[in-house]
Each structure stands twice: as C-alpha cells, then as structure tokens.
Amino acid sequence: MGDYLEYARIFKALGNPKRAMIVDMLSCGELCACMILEKFEMSQSTLSHHMKLLCECGLVKGRERGKWTYYSLNTDTISKTKQFFCDITSAKENCICKEGADCCKGCDEND
Amino acid sequence: MGDYLEYARIFKALGNPKRAMIVDMLSCGELCACMILEKFEMSQSTLSHHMKLLCECGLVKGRERGKWTYYSLNTDTISKTKQFFCDITSAKENCICKEGADCCKGCDEND
DNA sequence: CAATCATATTGAAACTTTTCGATTTGAAGC
DNA sequence: GCTTCAAATCGAAAAGTTTCAATATGATTG
C-alpha cells in the first residue's frame, strides 16, 4: 500500500463501464481488437484509445501479429490490485486512526 | 458480473489518489471528517465533495453525531468489488471469446 | 437566542476525459 | 510497388471532474 497514484491509475482505467466490460471480456482469454470492436457501438479510434489506457496502467497487454493486435489481461497487475481490497479489509498497525486530531477530542463518547 | 456501470462508479471513486488514500485511512476504523481533513492539503469543501462521492458509490458510510460526521468503510461493497477481481481471474462458460468474429477467422494460427 | 463550530452546498475557473471523423502508419496480398 | 486492411494518432467538440472561496445549514454552547 502507499502507492495511491499507481492504484488510482488502475481504478481510473476501470472507472469507465466500457473499459470494465472489456476487461471482463478479456478474462477468459486473448482477443484481437476487431473482435472487441464488434461487441461495442463505438468508433475504431475510440476503442484504440480505451485499449491504450488499459495497457498504460498495466491491466492489459498488447501483442502485435502482422496487421492484428491481440489483447490479454496482465494477471500480475490484477493480483496486485486485488491486494488493495485485502489490505483495506484487514486491521493494521501504525494507522492514522491511532493519532488524535485536536478538533475531535472526546467525540467518541457521544455514541 | 454484468453490472459494469455500478462497478465503474466504484472504480471511478477510487480512481483519484486522494480518495484511494482516504479509503485506506478508513480501513482501520471510523474517522471524523475533521481528522481526515488534517491529513490533507485540501479545502474543507473539497474534502466534503470527495466524501460525498465515496458515500454515493457505497464504499463509505457516513454517521452524523451532532456537529460531527463520522465516516467508515462499507465492507459489503468492498467485498463485492473484490469479487470483480476474482471473477476476471477465473475461467468462465459462455464467454464472448467462444464466439467467432468474422474479421479474425484463422488469425490464431499465426502464433 | 446569538455566537460558534463542523459540514454541506453553490457557483465558477481550470483541467481532464470521452468521443468522433480524418489522417497516418505499417503489414499483407495481389 | 500499389492496394487493402487493422490499428494508432491527431485535432476538435462536448461533457465531466477537481478545486476553491463564499455562503448556507444545523447542532452545540454560552
């Protein structure tokens, strides 16, 4: 944890329903761009842009073969991102919540 | 899976490094808004806006007690979101990759 | 009940994202 | 070597996000 900028880049990429859907489509194997394009109402340049974002954040890998580009998931990045959710659902030491904020002293009792 | 819009809403909320950090801060317990504000160089209205987005997507819950608002993680949403990563890392039946796209017939052999 | 304090809302400026059509690049086929 | 095809890049328009200062709301305190 700590590298919030890198996590945020990945989440930003997933923060578009079409890109989330593309990632899901790639989850059972490699697909070429033209095949992904067939499933969406979207121009070729728009898809290309989405794929670029998915690749840049490390979620997706592109493999060029002649005229075609094949895309697949980068499982390392996905595991790492999944870890974010494990980290935020397990208690930690040295957490910010252990330090007191002056403005809130004594608030906890009003429960 | 399938509810890409709802997932995207959550990922969009996490797709800002400050909001990702706030979520991490909340991971070991409830914090009041003023305490979160102390840890950031950010105006009070900006923080309020970020907290609203985090609440609206269901990641965070707000609890009002007098003047203060306490925020905490909504573990149900977090578990559900974690599931997205489980889903995309396990093979599936009836996947889009099983259907052929005309433009790509025969591409697979060029490996 | 007026003042104070913690948050929320509003409105505006700056910046980023989304999308498209047009153009470019670069491989394959004739 | 020209044509065709798949994908990337460019430039622009529209929409959305981020941030702040100012103001509003509503609870608490004197």
Side-chain angles (χ1 to χ4, degrees):
Chain A
M1 190 61 70
D3 205 347
Y4 302 108
L5 215 119
E6 204 179 328
Y7 278 119
R9 229 163 111 90
I10 293 164
F11 292 132
K12 195 176 266 181
L14 288 170
N16 171 296
K18 282 168 189 167
R19 288 195 296 265
M21 191 174 169
I22 291 167
V23 165
D24 189 29
M25 281 168 71
L26 293 175
S27 73
C28 68
E30 198 176 61
L31 288 173
C32 91
C34 60
M35 202 151 167
I36 302 170
L37 190 55
E38 271 197 345
K39 305 291 165 184
F40 289 96
E41 298 222 332
M42 179 192 286
S43 74
Q44 180 270 318
S45 61
T46 299
L47 177 66
S48 186
H49 171 246
H50 284 314
M51 296 317 294
K52 193 180 180 186
L53 290 185
L54 287 170
C55 288
E56 279 174 353
C57 75
L59 272 175
V60 167
K61 289 176 292 191
R63 180 176 72 94
E64 298 189 10
R65 278 294 174 285
K67 295 193 283 188
W68 292 276
T69 307
Y70 294 88
Y71 293 102
S72 60
L73 296 185
N74 184 344
T75 50
D76 285 358
T77 306
I78 290 163
S79 304
K80 204 192 129 209
T81 310
K82 198 167 151 187
Q83 190 58 43
F84 178 92
F85 294 94
C86 299
D87 289 355
I88 63 171
T89 42
S90 62
K92 288 173 296 190
E93 292 291 313
N94 306 320
C95 184
I96 202 163
C97 72
K98 305 289 193 290
E99 308 162 32
D102 288 343
C103 68
C104 275
K105 287 267 160 62
C107 302
D108 296 21
E109 290 106 70
N110 317 328
D111 213 338
Chain B
M1 190 63 69
D3 205 347
Y4 302 108
L5 215 118
E6 203 179 330
Y7 278 120
R9 227 163 114 90
I10 293 163
F11 291 133
K12 194 175 266 180
L14 287 170
N16 171 294
K18 282 168 190 167
R19 287 195 296 263
M21 192 173 167
I22 290 168
V23 165
D24 190 28
M25 282 168 70
L26 293 175
S27 72
C28 69
E30 197 176 60
L31 288 174
C32 89
C34 61
M35 203 152 168
I36 301 170
L37 189 56
E38 270 196 348
K39 304 293 167 182
F40 289 95
E41 299 222 330
M42 179 191 285
S43 74
Q44 181 270 317
S45 60
T46 298
L47 177 67
S48 184
H49 172 246
H50 284 314
M51 296 318 293
K52 193 181 180 185
L53 290 183
L54 287 170
C55 289
E56 278 174 352
C57 76
L59 272 175
V60 166
K61 287 176 291 190
R63 179 175 72 94
E64 298 190 11
R65 276 297 172 285
K67 294 195 281 188
W68 294 276
T69 307
Y70 292 89
Y71 293 103
S72 59
L73 296 186
N74 184 343
T75 50
D76 285 358
T77 306
I78 289 163
S79 305
K80 204 192 129 207
T81 310
K82 198 167 153 188
Q83 190 59 42
F84 178 92
F85 294 95
C86 299
D87 289 353
I88 62 171
T89 43
S90 63
K92 287 173 296 188
E93 292 292 311
N94 305 321
C95 185
I96 202 161
C97 72
K98 305 288 192 291
E99 308 161 33
D102 289 342
C103 68
C104 274
K105 287 269 158 62
C107 301
D108 297 21
E109 289 103 72
N110 318 327
D111 213 336

